Amino acid sequence: MVSQEDQPPADRTDRALIAYVQQELSAPAEAIAGYVEILLEEAEKGAPHEFREDLGKIQIASRALGALIASLMGPIRDRDDTADPEADRRRLRHDLRTPINAIKGYGEMLREDAAALKDARAFVDDLDQLLAEASRFLERIDGLVDFSSADDALSTGNALDPAKVAHRLVASVQPIAQGEADSLAALPSRILVVDDNASNRDLLKRRLERQGHFVTLAENGIAALALVREAAFDLILLDLLMPDISGFDVLVTLKGDSFLRDIPVIMISALNELDSIVRCIEAGADDYLAKPFDPVLLRARIGASLEKKHLRDREREASAALLVEKERSEQLLLNILPAPIVARLKSGETVIADHLDDVTILFADFVGFTEISSKLTAPDLVGVLGRVFSAFDALALKFGVEKIKTIGDSYMAACGLFGAREDHAQAVADLALAMIDALEALNAELPMHIEIRIGINSGEVVAGVIGAHKFIYDIWGDSVNVASRLESTGLPGCIQVSKATRDRLSPHFLLEERGSLEVKGKGLMETFLLVGRK
């Protein structure tokens, strides 16, 4: 309930009441006009002449009704204390009833005549609709015309429904308080004002700077386009009519530029025609303000546009940060798993287990690691392992060999796991030779001399991802075990390979026969030492 203290000013109450009455009456009046048009079209197809004549009279009455409703937005109620409100209500009721009575009267006569005709069912149905709307209109007249007694009714608590509705409307749409309006554009923003009129530019600049914004002025469209390419702006107030290049052309240029299109633009113009407004909005303008400006409306529109701009900026920043985090996560995942496996997991594959017929596997291990580790501090030990394994990682990447994992001081790699690669044994051999050379070079910098043994074997393996937490890509099978045995039975600083690997390398590499060697789980095996490329 609206208290006396909360009641809005009388002039705003008048406008709200009138707008409410006009809205309630407009709907049936427009429906009546629509049915009249339809009936006239049907009558033109061969209805009796008197039908067209009476429909013409109904149309005249409908237009008079529409004009009367439109006039309600004018000053129909004089608040002079000497005026007679009851006389005003009687006159308005009379004025509204006159055309609607004509519509009902002619309409009812037409319906009686049309009902007697064959093949006039559709015509009669439309007449029924017209008469129903006319009856609805009459009902609303009596319910709405007493709006002028709203003030008295509210004061006594017996307000009529229209008055209550209108007062609630007025009370709920109060003018924006100064502090509230300023909060919409609380962030100081960079605004470009483009207007060929110096007074308008100065006026806008002073108003906007009072709100804490930083304002730049441009006297024409060419200067404006140059400025937006030199500096960032949060909002552009753009005059529509300018002599050199129109504001509309500037707007189209801005919205066609991928670097400028996100700057919100409010068009300003004395041209307040619907076509101009629609054209600018369709071209990408955020809003349209007609001159002369209402300061409160100007502040509200600018505040709304700036708020949307700042919101978009925050969304863009959040998206960029999210993208960086996503790339970081993917890079971390690529450090753990091979790229093809990451791609399969991202595509939704949940179980990855492959049988591969021909793969070459490498194992490398430090010689005397236990003794080495006992002579180094923990930081030095980790530092040595980090430098050596990092060098091996770079070489594996260079030769296209997949590092599988490190286990303590052991390094495991393989080639031929992804896609058809006929030279997988050669790639692993190149890697092994490079590892020996790299470690020799590193020894000049490491706190103690280090040697490694390397074992290589070729054959079939099973490969897959295991674990749901801290998962790992690994390979298994007899070929893997043999490669490990070849490393453990090898010689310091040497690369020991199986016959299967030798057969793949012999055309391009130098190999020396080492002889038969007892390999755990395999018995005697013929082994070879890889010494270089041919």
Side-chain angles (χ1 to χ4, degrees):
M1 183 174 178
V2 181
S3 68
Q4 290 291 334
E5 292 76 10
D6 296 334
Q7 287 186 27
D11 60 335
R12 296 189 64 241
T13 303
D14 277 353
R15 293 199 300 273
L17 285 167
I18 293 168
Y20 178 77
V21 171
Q22 186 190 40
Q23 173 183 292
E24 290 298 301
L25 296 181
S26 291
E30 290 172 1
I32 289 170
Y35 281 116
V36 171
E37 294 293 336
I38 293 172
L39 289 164
L40 280 168
E41 291 175 4
E42 293 178 358
E44 289 297 325
K45 297 177 182 177
H49 175 74
E50 58 270 24
F51 278 22
R52 295 195 290 273
E53 184 177 345
D54 288 345
L55 284 172
K57 294 173 182 175
I58 293 174
Q59 187 178 43
I60 291 171
S62 172
R63 288 172 177 172
L65 186 64
L68 181 58
I69 294 171
S71 72
L72 289 177
M73 287 307 290
I76 67 167
R77 188 171 71 159
D78 185 356
R79 297 193 64 82
D80 186 343
D81 292 340
T82 61
D84 182 355
E86 183 55 32
D88 286 342
R89 291 196 293 273
R90 286 199 300 270
R91 184 173 63 255
L92 180 56
R93 186 182 296 110
H94 170 270
D95 291 345
L96 290 170
R97 279 183 174 276
T98 299
I100 203 66
N101 285 337
I103 293 169
K104 279 185 66 71
Y106 285 112
E108 288 169 352
M109 287 191 295
L110 276 174
R111 190 192 182 289
E112 291 177 4
D113 295 341
L117 299 177
K118 292 182 180 178
D119 302 327
R121 186 66 257 167
F123 192 80
V124 172
D125 289 344
D126 288 334
L127 276 170
D128 286 339
Q129 294 289 348
L130 182 144
L131 292 169
E133 294 295 342
S135 298
R136 190 172 296 116
F137 189 94
L138 277 174
E139 292 171 1
R140 293 191 178 184
I141 288 176
D142 293 334
L144 294 169
V145 171
D146 284 342
F147 66 89
S148 60
S149 62
D151 291 342
D152 295 338
L154 281 170
S155 65
T156 60
N158 296 319
L160 300 174
D161 286 344
K164 288 181 179 177
V165 172
H167 272 265
R168 282 198 296 270
L169 173 66
V170 173
S172 63
V173 190
Q174 292 293 331
I176 299 174
Q178 184 70 40
E180 182 182 358
D182 288 344
S183 69
L184 295 174
L187 292 176
S189 302
R190 298 150 298 185
I191 300 178
L192 175 62
V193 174
V194 189
D195 198 317
D196 62 320
N197 186 293
S199 299
N200 287 340
R201 291 197 303 271
D202 181 63
L203 185 62
L204 279 170
K205 184 174 187 292
R206 293 172 61 183
R207 282 177 173 163
L208 295 171
E209 285 182 341
R210 283 183 181 180
Q211 297 172 38
H213 300 305
F214 305 100
V215 181
T216 302
L217 301 178
E219 60 184 12
N220 55 51
I222 294 174
L225 289 174
L227 284 168
V228 295
R229 291 190 172 98
E230 294 174 356
F233 291 97
D234 297 310
L235 176 67
I236 300 175
L237 292 178
L238 180 59
D239 188 23
L240 182 58
L241 300 177
M242 293 187 290
D244 55 345
I245 173 173
S246 74
F248 183 80
D249 290 335
V250 175
L251 174 66
V252 171
T253 302
L254 290 171
K255 297 305 172 183
D257 190 318
S258 58
F259 293 101
L260 305 175
R261 66 178 49 153
D262 290 337
I263 305 174
V265 178
I266 296 179
M267 303 301 295
I268 53 177
S269 175
L271 190 62
N272 194 21
E273 295 179 355
L274 182 61
D275 288 347
S276 299
I277 298 173
V278 171
R279 193 174 179 217
C280 290
I281 297 298
E282 288 181 341
D286 281 50
D287 211 335
Y288 191 104
L289 278 171
K291 299 177 183 176
F293 305 117
D294 180 302
V296 176
L297 185 61
L298 176 69
R299 185 168 59 246
R301 295 280 184 82
I302 289 175
S305 291
L306 286 175
E307 190 159 277
K308 285 190 287 186
K309 167 66 166 50
H310 293 315
L311 180 60
R312 284 198 296 268
D313 288 346
R314 287 197 291 271
E315 290 176 342
R316 194 176 292 111
E317 290 169 1
S319 297
L322 189 63
L323 183 60
V324 170
E325 286 301 319
K326 181 182 176 186
E327 290 175 349
R328 187 177 299 167
S329 298
E330 289 191 357
Q331 187 57 49
L332 184 61
L333 197 57
L334 288 171
N335 289 339
I336 299 172
L337 298 172
I341 297 300
V342 172
R344 290 168 66 179
L345 289 171
K346 288 172 66 177
S347 69
E349 197 170 347
T350 55
V351 178
I352 295 178
D354 303 317
H355 182 276
L356 303 165
D357 293 330
D358 199 10
V359 173
T360 297
I361 308 105
L362 174 149
F363 276 90
D365 197 9
F366 286 16
V367 178
F369 181 75
T370 302
E371 184 181 355
I372 292 173
S373 60
S374 65
K375 294 179 179 178
L376 295 175
T377 64
D380 287 342
L381 178 61
V382 173
V384 167
L385 290 173
R387 292 193 64 178
V388 173
F389 287 161
S390 295
F392 290 174
D393 288 347
L395 292 172
L397 189 63
K398 175 183 176 181
F399 292 107
V401 177
E402 197 68 45
K403 171 190 173 182
I404 303 300
K405 60 185 175 182
T406 59
I407 310 168
D409 61 323
S410 296
Y411 189 89
M412 178 183 180
C415 188
L417 297 166
F418 310 109
R421 182 165 181 178
E422 298 295 332
D423 66 338
H424 53 82
Q426 297 176 35
V428 172
D430 283 330
L431 170 64
L433 291 170
M435 289 168 69
I436 297 291
D437 292 340
L439 185 59
E440 187 63 29
L442 281 172
N443 273 325
E445 303 172 3
L446 296 177
M448 59 193 313
H449 187 81
I450 295 176
E451 286 185 309
I452 55 172
R453 295 186 302 262
I454 296 178
I456 301 175
N457 183 36
S458 301
E460 62 181 16
V461 300
V462 171
V465 176
I466 55 173
H469 180 60
K470 294 184 179 179
F471 44 80
I472 184 173
Y473 178 77
D474 209 343
I475 57 177
W476 306 271
D478 187 61
S479 298
V480 178
N481 296 333
V482 169
S484 177
R485 299 288 186 272
L486 288 171
E487 174 273 314
S488 61
T489 59
L491 301 172
C494 293
I495 306 166
Q496 181 166 247
V497 305
S498 66
K499 184 176 183 301
T501 301
R502 193 284 310 265
D503 293 344
R504 291 170 174 80
L505 297 179
S506 57
H508 307 289
F509 289 82
L510 297 173
L511 295 121
E512 296 176 354
E513 186 173 353
R514 191 184 176 196
S516 296
L517 191 70
E518 181 69 26
V519 176
K520 182 180 178 182
K522 301 297 293 182
L524 286 176
M525 284 188 65
E526 192 176 4
T527 64
F528 302 84
L529 296 177
L530 171 64
V531 295
R533 260 189 173 274
K534 289 183 179 177

